[in-house]
PDB file of all heavy atoms in Angstrom:
ATOM      1  N   ALA A 746       8.336  -0.761  95.879  1.00 94.00           N
ATOM      2  CA  ALA A 746       9.761  -0.407  95.968  1.00 94.00           C
ATOM      3  C   ALA A 746      10.207   0.442  94.783  1.00 94.00           C
ATOM      4  O   ALA A 746      11.182   1.186  94.900  1.00 94.00           O
ATOM      5  CB  ALA A 746      10.617  -1.671  96.068  1.00 94.00           C
ATOM      6  N   VAL A 747       9.522   0.353  93.656  1.00 94.00           N
ATOM      7  CA  VAL A 747       9.900   1.139  92.469  1.00 94.00           C
ATOM      8  C   VAL A 747       8.848   2.203  92.131  1.00 94.00           C
ATOM      9  O   VAL A 747       8.947   2.867  91.103  1.00 94.00           O
ATOM     10  CB  VAL A 747      10.145   0.230  91.237  1.00 94.00           C
ATOM     11  CG1 VAL A 747      11.333  -0.669  91.486  1.00 94.00           C
ATOM     12  CG2 VAL A 747       8.909  -0.566  90.865  1.00 94.00           C
ATOM     13  N   TRP A 748       7.846   2.368  93.002  1.00 92.00           N
ATOM     14  CA  TRP A 748       6.805   3.361  92.794  1.00 92.00           C
ATOM     15  C   TRP A 748       7.366   4.747  93.099  1.00 92.00           C
ATOM     16  O   TRP A 748       8.216   4.870  93.956  1.00 92.00           O
ATOM     17  CB  TRP A 748       5.626   3.029  93.726  1.00 92.00           C
ATOM     18  CG  TRP A 748       4.491   3.976  93.636  1.00 92.00           C
ATOM     19  CD1 TRP A 748       3.495   3.988  92.715  1.00 92.00           C
ATOM     20  CD2 TRP A 748       4.226   5.070  94.521  1.00 92.00           C
ATOM     21  NE1 TRP A 748       2.635   5.002  92.966  1.00 92.00           N
ATOM     22  CE2 TRP A 748       3.069   5.699  94.064  1.00 92.00           C
ATOM     23  CE3 TRP A 748       4.873   5.593  95.636  1.00 92.00           C
ATOM     24  CZ2 TRP A 748       2.529   6.809  94.697  1.00 92.00           C
ATOM     25  CZ3 TRP A 748       4.340   6.687  96.258  1.00 92.00           C
ATOM     26  CH2 TRP A 748       3.172   7.287  95.785  1.00 92.00           C
ATOM     27  N   PRO A 749       7.011   5.825  92.431  1.00 89.00           N
ATOM     28  CA  PRO A 749       5.936   5.985  91.455  1.00 89.00           C
ATOM     29  C   PRO A 749       6.390   5.861  90.001  1.00 89.00           C
ATOM     30  O   PRO A 749       5.568   5.749  89.106  1.00 89.00           O
ATOM     31  CB  PRO A 749       5.436   7.395  91.716  1.00 89.00           C
ATOM     32  CG  PRO A 749       6.657   8.151  92.121  1.00 89.00           C
ATOM     33  CD  PRO A 749       7.491   7.140  92.889  1.00 89.00           C
ATOM     34  N   ASP A 750       7.685   5.912  89.743  1.00 91.00           N
ATOM     35  CA  ASP A 750       8.132   5.981  88.351  1.00 91.00           C
ATOM     36  C   ASP A 750       8.371   4.629  87.702  1.00 91.00           C
ATOM     37  O   ASP A 750       8.338   4.513  86.486  1.00 91.00           O
ATOM     38  CB  ASP A 750       9.421   6.813  88.258  1.00 91.00           C
ATOM     39  CG  ASP A 750       9.194   8.246  88.702  1.00 91.00           C
ATOM     40  OD1 ASP A 750       8.128   8.793  88.382  1.00 91.00           O
ATOM     41  OD2 ASP A 750      10.074   8.793  89.375  1.00 91.00           O
ATOM     42  N   GLY A 751       8.631   3.608  88.496  1.00 92.00           N
ATOM     43  CA  GLY A 751       8.991   2.317  87.937  1.00 92.00           C
ATOM     44  C   GLY A 751       7.834   1.349  87.872  1.00 92.00           C
ATOM     45  O   GLY A 751       6.703   1.649  88.247  1.00 92.00           O
ATOM     46  N   GLY A 752       8.137   0.163  87.391  1.00 95.00           N
ATOM     47  CA  GLY A 752       7.162  -0.902  87.291  1.00 95.00           C
ATOM     48  C   GLY A 752       7.864  -2.173  86.854  1.00 95.00           C
ATOM     49  O   GLY A 752       9.069  -2.175  86.591  1.00 95.00           O
ATOM     50  N   TYR A 753       7.123  -3.255  86.788  1.00 96.00           N
ATOM     51  CA  TYR A 753       7.678  -4.541  86.404  1.00 96.00           C
ATOM     52  C   TYR A 753       6.723  -5.272  85.475  1.00 96.00           C
ATOM     53  O   TYR A 753       5.508  -5.120  85.572  1.00 96.00           O
ATOM     54  CB  TYR A 753       7.881  -5.452  87.631  1.00 96.00           C
ATOM     55  CG  TYR A 753       9.012  -5.058  88.540  1.00 96.00           C
ATOM     56  CD1 TYR A 753       8.762  -4.590  89.820  1.00 96.00           C
ATOM     57  CD2 TYR A 753      10.336  -5.182  88.129  1.00 96.00           C
ATOM     58  CE1 TYR A 753       9.797  -4.258  90.676  1.00 96.00           C
ATOM     59  CE2 TYR A 753      11.378  -4.843  88.979  1.00 96.00           C
ATOM     60  CZ  TYR A 753      11.103  -4.385  90.245  1.00 96.00           C
ATOM     61  OH  TYR A 753      12.127  -4.053  91.086  1.00 96.00           O
ATOM     62  N   THR A 754       7.297  -6.114  84.635  1.00 96.00           N
ATOM     63  CA  THR A 754       6.494  -7.079  83.885  1.00 96.00           C
ATOM     64  C   THR A 754       6.311  -8.303  84.781  1.00 96.00           C
ATOM     65  O   THR A 754       7.038  -8.483  85.770  1.00 96.00           O
ATOM     66  CB  THR A 754       7.183  -7.517  82.581  1.00 96.00           C
ATOM     67  OG1 THR A 754       8.391  -8.216  82.918  1.00 96.00           O
ATOM     68  CG2 THR A 754       7.492  -6.328  81.675  1.00 96.00           C
ATOM     69  N   GLY A 755       5.378  -9.153  84.423  1.00 95.00           N
ATOM     70  CA  GLY A 755       5.220 -10.403  85.157  1.00 95.00           C
ATOM     71  C   GLY A 755       6.480 -11.243  85.088  1.00 95.00           C
ATOM     72  O   GLY A 755       6.885 -11.878  86.063  1.00 95.00           O
ATOM     73  N   TYR A 756       7.130 -11.215  83.947  1.00 96.00           N
ATOM     74  CA  TYR A 756       8.374 -11.967  83.754  1.00 96.00           C
ATOM     75  C   TYR A 756       9.451 -11.456  84.714  1.00 96.00           C
ATOM     76  O   TYR A 756      10.155 -12.253  85.351  1.00 96.00           O
ATOM     77  CB  TYR A 756       8.836 -11.847  82.305  1.00 96.00           C
ATOM     78  CG  TYR A 756      10.081 -12.631  81.989  1.00 96.00           C
ATOM     79  CD1 TYR A 756      10.005 -13.985  81.682  1.00 96.00           C
ATOM     80  CD2 TYR A 756      11.329 -12.020  82.002  1.00 96.00           C
ATOM     81  CE1 TYR A 756      11.156 -14.709  81.394  1.00 96.00           C
ATOM     82  CE2 TYR A 756      12.477 -12.740  81.714  1.00 96.00           C
ATOM     83  CZ  TYR A 756      12.381 -14.083  81.410  1.00 96.00           C
ATOM     84  OH  TYR A 756      13.520 -14.797  81.140  1.00 96.00           O
ATOM     85  N   ASP A 757       9.575 -10.124  84.832  1.00 95.00           N
ATOM     86  CA  ASP A 757      10.572  -9.534  85.737  1.00 95.00           C
ATOM     87  C   ASP A 757      10.347  -9.984  87.177  1.00 95.00           C
ATOM     88  O   ASP A 757      11.290 -10.363  87.876  1.00 95.00           O
ATOM     89  CB  ASP A 757      10.515  -8.004  85.702  1.00 95.00           C
ATOM     90  CG  ASP A 757      10.975  -7.400  84.403  1.00 95.00           C
ATOM     91  OD1 ASP A 757      11.746  -8.052  83.669  1.00 95.00           O
ATOM     92  OD2 ASP A 757      10.547  -6.262  84.107  1.00 95.00           O
ATOM     93  N   LEU A 758       9.098  -9.900  87.631  1.00 95.00           N
ATOM     94  CA  LEU A 758       8.789 -10.261  89.016  1.00 95.00           C
ATOM     95  C   LEU A 758       9.047 -11.742  89.271  1.00 95.00           C
ATOM     96  O   LEU A 758       9.545 -12.112  90.332  1.00 95.00           O
ATOM     97  CB  LEU A 758       7.337  -9.918  89.341  1.00 95.00           C
ATOM     98  CG  LEU A 758       7.032  -8.437  89.515  1.00 95.00           C
ATOM     99  CD1 LEU A 758       5.529  -8.200  89.560  1.00 95.00           C
ATOM    100  CD2 LEU A 758       7.690  -7.895  90.778  1.00 95.00           C
ATOM    101  N   ALA A 759       8.725 -12.585  88.306  1.00 94.00           N
ATOM    102  CA  ALA A 759       8.890 -14.029  88.490  1.00 94.00           C
ATOM    103  C   ALA A 759      10.356 -14.441  88.453  1.00 94.00           C
ATOM    104  O   ALA A 759      10.812 -15.216  89.300  1.00 94.00           O
ATOM    105  CB  ALA A 759       8.099 -14.784  87.419  1.00 94.00           C
ATOM    106  N   THR A 760      11.109 -13.934  87.494  1.00 94.00           N
ATOM    107  CA  THR A 760      12.486 -14.403  87.318  1.00 94.00           C
ATOM    108  C   THR A 760      13.484 -13.716  88.251  1.00 94.00           C
ATOM    109  O   THR A 760      14.599 -14.201  88.405  1.00 94.00           O
ATOM    110  CB  THR A 760      12.945 -14.230  85.860  1.00 94.00           C
ATOM    111  OG1 THR A 760      12.848 -12.846  85.498  1.00 94.00           O
ATOM    112  CG2 THR A 760      12.093 -15.072  84.927  1.00 94.00           C
ATOM    113  N   SER A 761      13.087 -12.620  88.863  1.00 93.00           N
ATOM    114  CA  SER A 761      14.001 -11.923  89.780  1.00 93.00           C
ATOM    115  C   SER A 761      13.989 -12.529  91.176  1.00 93.00           C
ATOM    116  O   SER A 761      14.797 -12.162  92.024  1.00 93.00           O
ATOM    117  CB  SER A 761      13.631 -10.441  89.869  1.00 93.00           C
ATOM    118  OG  SER A 761      12.349 -10.301  90.468  1.00 93.00           O
ATOM    119  N   GLY A 762      13.048 -13.432  91.432  1.00 91.00           N
ATOM    120  CA  GLY A 762      12.954 -14.040  92.758  1.00 91.00           C
ATOM    121  C   GLY A 762      12.254 -13.170  93.773  1.00 91.00           C
ATOM    122  O   GLY A 762      12.259 -13.476  94.966  1.00 91.00           O
ATOM    123  N   GLN A 763      11.606 -12.100  93.335  1.00 92.00           N
ATOM    124  CA  GLN A 763      10.895 -11.219  94.266  1.00 92.00           C
ATOM    125  C   GLN A 763       9.563 -11.795  94.713  1.00 92.00           C
ATOM    126  O   GLN A 763       9.013 -11.369  95.733  1.00 92.00           O
ATOM    127  CB  GLN A 763      10.674  -9.850  93.627  1.00 92.00           C
ATOM    128  CG  GLN A 763      11.969  -9.110  93.365  1.00 92.00           C
ATOM    129  CD  GLN A 763      11.717  -7.732  92.823  1.00 92.00           C
ATOM    130  OE1 GLN A 763      11.358  -6.836  93.569  1.00 92.00           O
ATOM    131  NE2 GLN A 763      11.873  -7.577  91.525  1.00 92.00           N
ATOM    132  N   VAL A 764       9.033 -12.737  93.944  1.00 94.00           N
ATOM    133  CA  VAL A 764       7.777 -13.400  94.295  1.00 94.00           C
ATOM    134  C   VAL A 764       8.038 -14.898  94.291  1.00 94.00           C
ATOM    135  O   VAL A 764       8.449 -15.460  93.277  1.00 94.00           O
ATOM    136  CB  VAL A 764       6.648 -13.032  93.301  1.00 94.00           C
ATOM    137  CG1 VAL A 764       5.356 -13.728  93.680  1.00 94.00           C
ATOM    138  CG2 VAL A 764       6.445 -11.523  93.255  1.00 94.00           C
ATOM    139  N   VAL A 765       7.827 -15.521  95.447  1.00 93.00           N
ATOM    140  CA  VAL A 765       8.135 -16.942  95.605  1.00 93.00           C
ATOM    141  C   VAL A 765       6.915 -17.704  96.112  1.00 93.00           C
ATOM    142  O   VAL A 765       5.982 -17.114  96.666  1.00 93.00           O
ATOM    143  CB  VAL A 765       9.328 -17.151  96.567  1.00 93.00           C
ATOM    144  CG1 VAL A 765      10.602 -16.531  96.006  1.00 93.00           C
ATOM    145  CG2 VAL A 765       9.028 -16.588  97.946  1.00 93.00           C
ATOM    146  N   ASN A 766       6.966 -19.017  95.945  1.00 92.00           N
ATOM    147  CA  ASN A 766       5.885 -19.860  96.448  1.00 92.00           C
ATOM    148  C   ASN A 766       6.151 -20.232  97.905  1.00 92.00           C
ATOM    149  O   ASN A 766       7.136 -19.784  98.491  1.00 92.00           O
ATOM    150  CB  ASN A 766       5.710 -21.092  95.555  1.00 92.00           C
ATOM    151  CG  ASN A 766       6.934 -21.981  95.516  1.00 92.00           C
ATOM    152  OD1 ASN A 766       7.798 -21.943  96.399  1.00 92.00           O
ATOM    153  ND2 ASN A 766       7.028 -22.797  94.478  1.00 92.00           N
TER     154      ASN A 766
END
Side-chain angles (χ1 to χ4, degrees):
V747 295
W748 179 82
D750 298 321
Y753 288 112
T754 64
Y756 182 83
D757 291 336
L758 287 169
T760 59
S761 65
Q763 295 184 77
V764 180
V765 297
N766 62 21

